[in-house]
Amino acid sequence: MATLTDIGLAAAINILSAFIFFVAFAVLRLQPINDRVYFPKWYLRGLRSSPTHCGLFVKKFVNLDLKSYLRFLNWMPEGLKMPELELIDHAGLDSVVYLRIYLLGLKIFVPITCLALIILVPVNWTNSTLELAKVNYSNIDKLSISNIPNRSQRFWAHILMAYVFTLWTCYVLQKEYEIVASMRLHFLASARRRPDQFTVIVRNVPPDPDESVSELVEHFFLVNHPDHYLTHQVLYNANKVAKLVKEKKKKQNWLDYYHLKYSRNQSKRPVMKTGFLGLCGDKVDAINFHTSEIERLSKEIAEERERIRNNPNYIMPAAFVSFKTRWGAAVCAQTQQSRDPTKWLTDWAPEPRDVYWQNLAIPYVSLTIRRLIIGVAFFFLTFFFMIPVTFVQTLANIEGIEKELPFLKSILETHFIKSFIQGFLPGIALKIFLIILPTILMFMSKFEGLISVSSLERRSASSIPKIIGVAIPMKATFFITYIMVDGWAGVAGEILRLKPLIFYHLKNFFLVKTDTDREEAMDPGSLGFNTGEPRIQLYFLLGLVYAVVTPLLLPFILIFFSLAYVVFRHQIINVYNQEYESAAAYWPDVHGRVIAALVVSQLLLMGLLSTKEAAQATPFLISLPVLTIWFQRYCKGRYEPAFIRYPIQEATMKDTVERAREPSLDLKGYLQNAYVHPVFKEDDDADGGEDGSTLVPTKRQSRRSTPMGSRVSTNSSAASFSSKAKVVQEHPDP
């Protein structure tokens, strides 16, 4: 059983590890050769130049300014100086609100920690229950509720604190929800014009034997949104051509490299082997070989593109539809389009860089089946996660190991080995399992068919707390060591960026051939909502569960939130490159998971008190989960609409201001190719005939009595919109 000595040793190991990481980072970041590793965001924005391009040869690699080493911890106050509004402009609202999750943890747990240590620790400590019971226990157990005797009146102190902690947590959550909702609305109102503000995605377009999907979409929105419809882009299954484009890019990169190599030494043409990794096969002229490969791939890409445009089987029954105003897009995205609620399904389009293009090729009808499969897979994943949890529990139990492996008893009884196994090794083991888990869940989310990167990350993040929740029955001593491993040394290791540092120099030495290669080698990374946010939620869960039961765990959590806030603020300013902007759309998920953790803590406390035979006190806890769930419903109705719907009033105001400032804005030109699949971007004809100036003649008999004017005919009226309408411009079929 872990003791305070074991915890002290684990704390010493992790504090030393964190200190070494911070010192190493402080020194490495000052070296010119590492500048692109620790400040990649500024390079990608063109606001920083490499210090290796000038000065003495040695200064290109090593910082010889000894005074700078005396200020090696300046990165901490520097990272805190940038005001929040400036940070939003610099990194986006998603990043800033992500940091507020750490602040939320501090706001909740600082007062809770103070109250728990002042009130509950003395109540627990001033008993001798564990001593009289003659059982194995640690000093940590004496500070917990385990040291309170059955049917004791002291349980009223724990019940009172449970109410205080719940009320305080709900108060902070409500205030933070209000602040973040206000920040989101202000951000959307002041944000620069973006294609997703004018665009919706429509799915499950019903098939029609007389019209193509493109024609059907255009006619539907001309009829039902006549004053606001602008243009559209049908969706293609372009996954095959995407692979060809990716392969061509690699070949082009190699060709650039060999051209560069030849330009430096024109006396000798570069040669290469065509076999595996260039290690075997025939020797050929490298430039000619890659030129011919690029020509071959270009031809295949062109043929595949043409096949996609002309073969209806490649066209999905879905499209991105853009409108003349934000008002028009908001109305369409937030209303039912057809009397059949399963057809013409509309929703806000993701930001173009947020679109996960591979999943757009998944037929909508198969999504329900995919969700069912993932639901079953998630159940088994949760079940099998008990295996590593049981393994970790075994590591923490020296007696169990000695029983199964008696020949190791003499080694395990060594003080250092015993302290290391009980105080450090289990935390590392669980950390390794939790590193693998997000990758599995991300694969499952992609299979489920979500169409944006942000929704993929939110989906996989929402599953992790449910799975790791099975580990909560472990003792608090285990989680104290885990927090030190993951929350102290792990966070410090994040700022060191050891893996990107090594990979950058390996790539720079062996693979970098062009400036583009060097930029890609920097690998700034991103916040990784699917991996970072579940870690934070685990700490919320641990803090709320053990606040009343074992208050000694709380100071360790406070150190994590404080350290993580400083580290990730620095990384957001200098390192991470924002992949997309959802305007903090994930906050309702964050709020909901903290509420779920609060309810779990209340239910576990009720169960614990029932085992303590506190029959008179336990019923007073029943109202806590009821009140908490009511609070969640209140917040959901009061604040969540700001995160899932766009107010018509805000849309109208922004449209009005934009028209006043830019009366001659060519919105059609701005939106025309915004949602063209990336593999078509380099092709002038990649829009697939979705130009708003080209018009489609109606072929369906049902269109002969369309009750509106149409741009399809030069002189159409409410009764003359028919298949024989005169076409102003012929529309090429995509």
Side-chain angles (χ1 to χ4, degrees):
M1 183 174 293
T3 65
L4 283 176
T5 303
D6 302 328
I7 298 297
L9 177 61
I13 294 174
N14 285 286
I15 290 173
L16 181 61
S17 301
F19 179 76
I20 292 174
F21 288 153
F22 281 132
V23 171
F25 162 72
V27 173
L28 290 172
R29 69 187 286 268
L30 296 176
Q31 310 312 314
I33 196 173
N34 299 328
D35 206 55
R36 288 180 178 270
V37 178
Y38 294 111
F39 301 95
K41 190 166 193 171
W42 301 99
Y43 280 94
L44 293 175
R45 295 192 170 196
L47 300 175
R48 192 179 181 99
S49 58
S50 176
T52 62
H53 289 166
C54 57
L56 298 175
F57 179 77
V58 177
K59 287 187 176 181
K60 293 181 178 181
F61 302 95
V62 181
N63 186 350
L64 300 179
D65 182 8
L66 297 181
K67 292 183 179 179
S68 63
Y69 292 95
L70 300 177
R71 305 185 300 270
F72 70 98
L73 290 179
N74 276 8
W75 64 270
M76 289 188 177
E78 289 295 329
L80 298 174
K81 283 183 179 179
M82 184 178 288
E84 189 172 72
L85 291 177
E86 184 179 343
L87 188 57
I88 292 175
D89 291 335
H90 177 71
L93 187 63
D94 278 342
S95 299
V96 173
V97 171
Y98 183 87
L99 289 175
R100 292 192 71 92
I101 305 178
Y102 295 107
L103 290 179
L104 176 68
L106 292 173
K107 291 177 182 178
I108 289 175
F109 288 113
V110 167
I112 287 179
T113 302
C114 295
L115 287 174
L117 295 180
I118 293 172
I119 298 176
L120 293 181
V121 168
V123 170
N124 297 336
W125 177 262
T126 55
N127 282 279
S128 54
T129 303
L130 294 176
E131 295 176 4
L132 297 175
K134 296 181 181 181
V135 295
N136 291 328
Y137 66 92
S138 67
N139 290 329
I140 295 176
D141 293 326
K142 289 189 66 176
L143 300 173
S144 73
I145 200 172
S146 301
N147 202 32
I148 304 294
N150 292 352
R151 297 185 296 274
S152 173
Q153 294 298 314
R154 295 194 177 203
F155 287 127
W156 287 106
H158 299 82
I159 293 175
L160 176 61
M161 286 298 99
Y163 270 91
V164 172
F165 296 165
T166 296
L167 293 175
W168 173 250
T169 302
C170 290
Y171 172 77
V172 175
L173 284 173
Q174 189 267 336
K175 288 295 183 183
E176 198 66 20
Y177 214 150
E178 183 178 0
I179 292 172
V180 174
S182 177
M183 292 174 66
R184 173 179 166 85
L185 292 176
H186 182 268
F187 178 81
L188 292 175
S190 59
R192 293 187 298 271
R193 181 171 53 250
R194 295 202 318 250
D196 55 298
Q197 297 170 351
F198 300 87
T199 307
V200 304
I201 183 170
V202 56
R203 307 185 75 173
N204 216 22
V205 176
D208 190 293
D210 299 320
E211 291 187 321
S212 67
V213 173
S214 178
E215 295 170 335
L216 190 59
V217 169
E218 181 174 37
H219 288 152
F220 180 86
F221 285 95
L222 277 174
V223 171
N224 296 287
H225 299 267
D227 298 326
H228 298 278
Y229 167 74
L230 181 63
T231 186
H232 71 280
Q233 173 65 50
V234 294
L235 302 181
Y236 304 100
N237 183 352
N239 290 346
K240 181 179 179 180
V241 72
K243 293 179 182 178
L244 294 174
V245 169
K246 184 178 181 180
E247 184 180 356
K248 178 184 174 183
K249 182 180 178 181
K250 291 181 180 179
K251 299 291 185 182
Q252 184 64 53
N253 210 14
W254 278 108
L255 180 61
D256 293 342
Y257 165 71
Y258 285 118
H259 272 303
L260 182 63
K261 185 177 181 180
Y262 181 61
S263 66
R264 293 174 178 172
N265 183 13
Q266 297 189 1
S267 62
K268 184 179 179 181
R269 297 274 292 186
V271 295
M272 60 169 287
K273 293 182 179 180
T274 59
F276 179 71
L277 295 177
L279 301 176
C280 58
D282 299 332
K283 278 190 176 182
V284 296
D285 184 288
I287 294 178
N288 292 339
F289 174 79
H290 283 97
T291 300
S292 62
E293 284 293 291
I294 291 172
E295 290 176 353
R296 176 184 64 81
L297 289 170
S298 297
K299 183 178 179 181
E300 290 184 19
I301 291 170
E303 291 174 352
E304 185 64 21
R305 282 174 174 162
E306 193 65 25
R307 190 178 299 113
I308 290 173
R309 294 193 190 99
N310 297 325
N311 189 340
N313 293 329
Y314 282 90
I315 301 177
M316 307 304 298
F320 288 111
V321 180
S322 297
F323 295 81
K324 299 175 183 177
T325 61
R326 296 172 182 84
W327 185 94
V331 170
C332 181
Q334 297 164 182
T335 56
Q336 182 174 316
Q337 303 301 310
S338 170
R339 66 179 62 182
D340 185 346
T342 65
K343 297 178 180 178
W344 295 102
L345 303 176
T346 56
D347 199 358
W348 283 106
E351 185 186 4
R353 56 182 175 166
D354 188 22
V355 176
Y356 189 69
W357 293 98
Q358 292 91 320
N359 279 2
L360 289 176
I362 299 175
Y364 187 82
V365 293
S366 70
L367 294 181
T368 303
I369 300 175
R370 286 172 173 261
R371 292 190 185 108
L372 177 62
I373 294 173
I374 291 300
V376 175
F378 177 74
F379 170 79
F380 283 103
L381 179 62
T382 305
F383 177 77
F384 284 112
F385 189 72
M386 287 296 298
I387 297 175
V389 168
T390 304
F391 171 71
V392 170
Q393 286 179 315
T394 303
L395 286 178
N397 187 355
I398 292 291
E399 292 79 7
I401 298 177
E402 291 177 349
K403 184 177 180 180
E404 297 295 330
L405 305 171
F407 61 91
L408 294 177
K409 184 174 182 179
S410 58
I411 299 176
L412 296 176
E413 287 299 325
T414 306
H415 177 69
F416 177 80
I417 298 296
K418 184 176 181 180
S419 299
F420 177 80
I421 291 177
Q422 289 186 322
F424 191 72
L425 191 58
I428 293 179
L430 185 59
K431 173 68 175 175
I432 293 172
F433 288 128
L434 294 183
I435 288 175
I436 300 172
L437 186 59
T439 303
I440 299 174
L441 292 174
M442 178 58 76
F443 172 79
M444 293 170 64
S445 298
K446 290 179 179 179
F447 179 82
E448 191 174 354
L450 301 176
I451 64 169
S452 67
V453 178
S454 57
S455 61
L456 285 170
E457 294 189 349
R458 290 200 298 272
R459 176 64 171 168
S460 58
S462 66
S463 302
I464 293 178
K466 301 174 187 176
I467 296 176
I468 62 180
V470 301
I472 288 300
M474 288 177 147
K475 292 183 67 65
T477 51
F478 167 81
F479 284 113
I480 289 175
T481 61
Y482 174 77
I483 291 169
M484 289 187 290
V485 171
D486 177 71
W488 296 8
V491 170
E494 174 68 27
I495 202 169
L496 181 59
R497 306 196 78 225
L498 188 59
K499 178 183 172 182
L501 176 69
I502 295 173
F503 275 47
Y504 170 76
H505 287 301
L506 288 176
K507 290 179 180 178
N508 197 37
F509 187 80
F510 293 106
L511 302 177
V512 168
K513 301 173 285 295
T514 63
D515 289 338
T516 302
D517 287 347
R518 187 167 287 106
E519 284 191 4
E520 293 178 353
M522 287 192 296
D523 185 24
S526 61
L527 279 172
F529 184 82
N530 61 311
T531 56
E533 200 270 343
R535 171 205 265 180
I536 307 174
Q537 294 300 332
L538 175 60
Y539 288 109
F540 275 109
L541 181 62
L542 294 177
L544 293 171
V545 166
Y546 287 102
V548 177
V549 177
T550 310
L552 188 63
L553 182 137
L554 294 174
F556 295 88
I557 289 180
L558 285 182
I559 294 175
F560 161 74
F561 279 117
S562 303
L563 191 62
Y565 177 75
V566 175
V567 166
F568 283 100
R569 205 174 202 275
H570 172 274
Q571 300 296 81
I572 285 171
I573 292 174
N574 298 296
V575 180
Y576 298 144
N577 188 40
Q578 187 179 358
E579 293 184 356
Y580 57 83
E581 179 59 62
S582 70
Y586 55 80
W587 189 260
D589 298 322
V590 174
H591 176 90
R593 285 194 279 272
V594 176
I595 290 292
L598 189 58
V599 173
V600 169
S601 70
Q602 295 160 354
L603 296 177
L604 289 177
L605 181 60
M606 291 172 60
L608 180 60
L609 290 183
S610 66
T611 64
K612 287 284 190 175
E613 301 179 18
Q616 294 180 345
T618 304
F620 285 90
L621 289 173
I622 296 176
S623 61
L624 272 182
V626 176
L627 291 174
T628 305
I629 293 172
W630 172 86
F631 170 76
Q632 163 66 0
R633 292 178 63 85
Y634 164 76
C635 289
K636 185 179 180 68
R638 174 66 178 83
Y639 301 110
E640 188 172 306
F643 294 86
I644 59 177
R645 291 193 288 270
Y646 187 42
I648 297 297
Q649 182 183 26
E650 294 288 335
T652 302
M653 290 173 57
K654 199 161 180 62
D655 288 334
T656 303
V657 171
E658 187 171 77
R659 281 194 297 267
R661 290 179 178 176
E662 302 177 72
S664 58
L665 172 66
D666 180 16
L667 188 60
K668 182 187 294 184
Y670 174 72
L671 296 172
Q672 190 66 55
N673 296 321
Y675 285 95
V676 171
H677 196 291
V679 300
F680 292 114
K681 285 286 179 81
E682 61 189 48
D683 189 350
D684 292 336
D685 299 326
D687 58 0
E690 309 304 335
D691 191 332
S693 63
T694 57
L695 307 178
V696 185
T698 301
K699 300 173 183 176
R700 298 180 61 199
Q701 298 298 317
S702 59
R703 297 295 187 196
R704 291 184 175 177
S705 300
T706 304
M708 59 160 287
S710 171
R711 68 175 187 177
V712 174
S713 173
T714 57
N715 188 26
S716 59
S717 64
S720 62
F721 189 61
S722 67
S723 60
K724 297 181 179 180
K726 183 180 179 181
V727 180
V728 179
Q729 286 182 295
E730 194 64 33
H731 179 84
D733 192 339

